[in-house]
Structure formats: structure tokens, C-alpha cells
Amino acid sequence: MKTNSNAIGVDIGYGYTKVCADKLSKAFPSQVAKTRPRGAFDTHSDAIIVNDQSFIVGDDIDNIGDYSVSTEFIGTPEYLALLGRALTMAKAPCDILVLGLPPSLYDEVRIEKLEKTISETKYQTGSGNPLPVPGIIKFIPQGAGIYFDYIWNSPQRNAQSKNGNTVVIDLGHYTLDFVLFMEGRYNAGAARSFPLGISKLLNSIKLDFAKTHGVFLNNDDNVMKLIQEGSYNHFGRTYALNIDLLMDEYMNHKLLKSIRNYASDLRESIHKSVDDVVIGGGGVHCIGQLMNQAIIIEDPQMSNARGYYQYGRRQVEASASIKTERPEPRACAAA
């Protein structure tokens, strides 16, 4: 059997892209900018080339400007450029790539189209070297990665999951996603997505900051300092902001209200109790200390990517086991 590097999990989020593979766990900003070479001395060796179009991605874009992706970027060349950068991070070519889609976008037609687009895309590094795409591409619902990360890191939780019901809350940049696993199986009918990601809180703080101080606050790192410390320093000046009312509005009137409504819908639709509520996603860094009714997974920002990677590994191992018992051409594609 091959090494763990056969699989790579990539969680392409609106704020950050998270990548997990063998001995790899890293995130970079989901920022993309097209580049136009203007001569031999103006090339970008760190660029990602997608179908002959060159892009600068992630941290490399800082000296160009802010090119954060929009809510409609899935499947676009910019989306593919983020994926290309993620693929360059793996230490060895991978056999299987696992990605996620928001539950509201998770359907067979869209998945088939995305898999075809990714597999037919020509990727190159900035120096022109081909970048191989894994032969197997899988999409699973966002939030399912958090679930797999949660149960597969504990033999006890893995065993308990076969007989229990677990709700996963994925707090992302733009969306708040809910998924339900009943006795270890994904319940597609119970999945929900709401436009209540952490950007709602960040934008309200930025707006209040501008009203209070008369300057715009565009740096999310400084917003995080306001949330966690109440102030931040910039060029020798301290900026402070009381965000208690904004936090209360977001937590109690948006986030927790949506969680309560979802729980009420579950009680009415499946008539079964929920054993565990697990929360993950990059937004947990902002409000995790206030979530006392859920299990906060370790390193929540990377949780989906870790779960995608673990899912991919198990797919590879299952296909290798099938090959050992009965060799078949491309057996792992059906795993």
C-alpha cells in the first residue's frame, strides 16, 4: 500500500483556502489576481497558470492589492487557480483530491460539472512546468469534513457515531451551514445553509468603527484584535471600540437563533434526539469562547480540510484492498 500522500483535502473557502495532505496542514488567503507578463524581466515564478491564464494567489498577492473572491466564484478560473496553488503544496503527486461544497449547492449535476472542469483543466506552475491533477476527484458536503475529523480522531467517538445522531455546524466566512449524520450516515434532507457567516459580524464592526473614528477599517486582523482585545495600535495610535452590542446582536439574534430554529425543525421532522453538536469552521476563532452548548473541534479552521483528507485516505485504502483481492482496471475510481 502506498503512503498517506496519496490523498489531498482542499477546503476552498471565501476567506481562506485550507489544505491538508501527508505532513501538510496549511491555509492561505483566498485572494486571486490575473497577471500579464510584460517582458522577460517581469515574470511571476510563483504564479499558477490555468488554461494559459496566469494568476497570483494567496499571500503572494499582498503587494498587488486585495482581490478577495466573491460568493459566486465556485468553478471559475479564480477558483481553479486557488486549487492549483493548493496542489503545489503536496510533497508528492496525489491519487485522490477531495473538496467540499456548501449543502445548498450540493447536487449531482453541479458535482459532475465541477469534476469534469477540474479534470480537464491544464495547470502549470509559473515556470511553465505541468502540474498534475489527481485522477480521482471527490466532492462531499461542507461540514461532512468536520464530522469525519471529529469521529475518526477518536476510536470511541467513531464507535458511538454508529448509534447516535450528530449535528455539525460549519461557521464560514459567508455561510452558516448545518449537516446531520444519523447513525453514521449523512442525512441530505436535513442540510441547511444560511447567509450568516462571520462576515456579518466583521462588516457590522467595520461600519461602527467608521462611524466612531471617521476612518475605514479594511484589515480583518485588526477587526479580530477589536473582538479579542478591544483595541489595536496603528502607527502609534490606539483605536478602541466597544463591540458588546454588536456581538450580542450577532450571537443571540442571528447565530443562536438560527441554531435553535434548526434544532426545532429537526425535532419536528425526524422525531429523534441529537446526541452531539459539533462546531467548526474559520469563524469559530471569533466567537468560540461564547459557544458553550457545542463541542468546538480542535483547530476549527482546518477541520473540514482534515476530514476531506481522511476521507480520501480511506477511499484509497479501500480501493487498494479491493485491488489486492481482485485486480481490476481503475478499481479505485469506483471506491
Side-chain angles (χ1 to χ4, degrees):
M1 189 179 297
K2 295 181 181 180
T3 65
N4 293 347
S5 61
N6 277 345
I8 182 170
V10 182
D11 179 15
I12 303 180
Y14 299 113
Y16 285 84
T17 294
K18 287 75 68 177
V19 190
C20 189
D22 186 25
K23 298 179 182 178
L24 171 67
S25 180
K26 191 172 181 180
F28 60 87
S30 292
Q31 297 186 143
V32 186
K34 291 181 180 179
T35 66
R36 292 184 178 179
R38 289 171 293 193
F41 298 100
D42 188 25
T43 60
H44 296 278
S45 60
D46 52 0
I48 298 296
I49 301 174
V50 176
N51 293 332
D52 299 323
Q53 172 64 61
S54 179
F55 294 89
I56 296 294
V57 177
D59 294 314
D60 300 324
I61 207 172
D62 286 347
N63 62 348
I64 299 177
D66 180 11
Y67 291 84
S68 301
V69 298
S70 71
T71 57
E72 305 296 328
F73 85 115
I74 294 176
T76 64
E78 288 76 14
Y79 176 92
L80 297 171
L82 292 171
L83 176 57
R85 170 47 54 86
L87 292 175
T88 65
M89 296 180 175
K91 294 180 174 60
C94 298
D95 293 333
I96 182 169
L97 163 67
V98 182
L99 304 107
L101 277 177
S104 59
L105 301 179
Y106 192 79
D107 64 75
E108 290 301 324
V109 174
R110 181 176 280 105
I111 290 169
E112 289 179 8
K113 183 178 179 181
L114 283 170
E115 289 175 350
K116 186 173 186 291
T117 297
I118 292 170
S119 64
E120 294 180 351
T121 294
K122 182 177 75 171
Y123 284 103
Q124 295 171 281
T125 63
S127 56
N129 295 323
L131 184 60
V133 177
I136 305 170
I137 301 168
K138 297 274 189 181
F139 278 89
I140 63 176
Q142 282 178 200
I146 296 172
Y147 174 77
F148 293 141
D149 184 37
Y150 174 68
I151 66 166
W152 285 339
N153 275 325
S154 165
Q156 181 181 2
R157 289 197 296 261
N158 193 15
Q160 291 173 344
S161 69
K162 303 299 188 296
N163 300 307
N165 303 323
T166 301
V167 169
V168 175
I169 303 171
D170 183 2
L171 181 57
H173 188 75
Y174 285 121
T175 61
L176 173 68
D177 298 322
F178 295 88
V179 296
L180 171 67
F181 281 80
M182 298 178 62
E183 299 179 353
R185 294 182 177 274
Y186 175 66
N187 187 317
R192 300 286 186 276
S193 293
F194 302 96
L196 294 173
I198 203 66
S199 64
K200 287 284 186 184
L201 174 62
L202 302 185
N203 289 339
S204 66
I205 292 174
K206 291 175 183 178
L207 182 61
D208 198 48
F209 184 91
K211 291 178 179 178
T212 302
H213 293 284
V215 295
F216 292 106
L217 174 59
N218 294 321
N219 189 313
D220 285 353
D221 290 336
N222 288 334
V223 178
M224 284 299 301
K225 288 181 180 178
L226 289 175
I227 293 173
Q228 296 170 349
E229 303 171 16
S231 64
Y232 75 92
N233 294 316
H234 184 66
F235 287 109
R237 179 178 174 181
T238 298
Y239 292 91
L241 188 70
N242 187 327
I243 61 168
D244 290 347
L245 291 178
L246 299 177
M247 289 292 292
D248 178 71
E249 170 68 21
Y250 178 72
M251 286 295 300
N252 293 311
H253 299 282
K254 291 185 172 67
L255 188 62
L256 294 180
K257 182 179 178 180
S258 295
I259 294 173
R260 287 192 294 268
N261 289 342
Y262 179 76
S264 177
D265 289 344
L266 280 187
R267 285 193 295 270
E268 293 179 7
S269 58
I270 67 172
H271 305 293
K272 290 188 177 181
S273 62
V274 172
D275 299 285
D276 290 318
V277 177
V278 181
I279 184 168
V284 178
H285 288 305
C286 297
I287 52 85
Q289 72 276 14
L290 303 174
M291 296 295 295
N292 55 14
Q293 298 176 343
I295 300 167
I296 299 177
I297 202 157
E298 183 179 353
D299 192 7
Q301 183 185 44
M302 293 298 301
S303 185
N304 260 321
R306 286 197 305 266
Y308 298 164
Y309 166 62
Q310 291 291 343
Y311 178 86
R313 278 187 56 195
R314 288 173 180 247
Q315 293 285 304
V316 170
E317 291 169 2
S319 354
S321 176
I322 293 172
K323 282 184 176 181
T324 301
E325 296 174 5
R326 185 183 60 194
E328 293 181 5
R330 293 186 61 79
C332 58

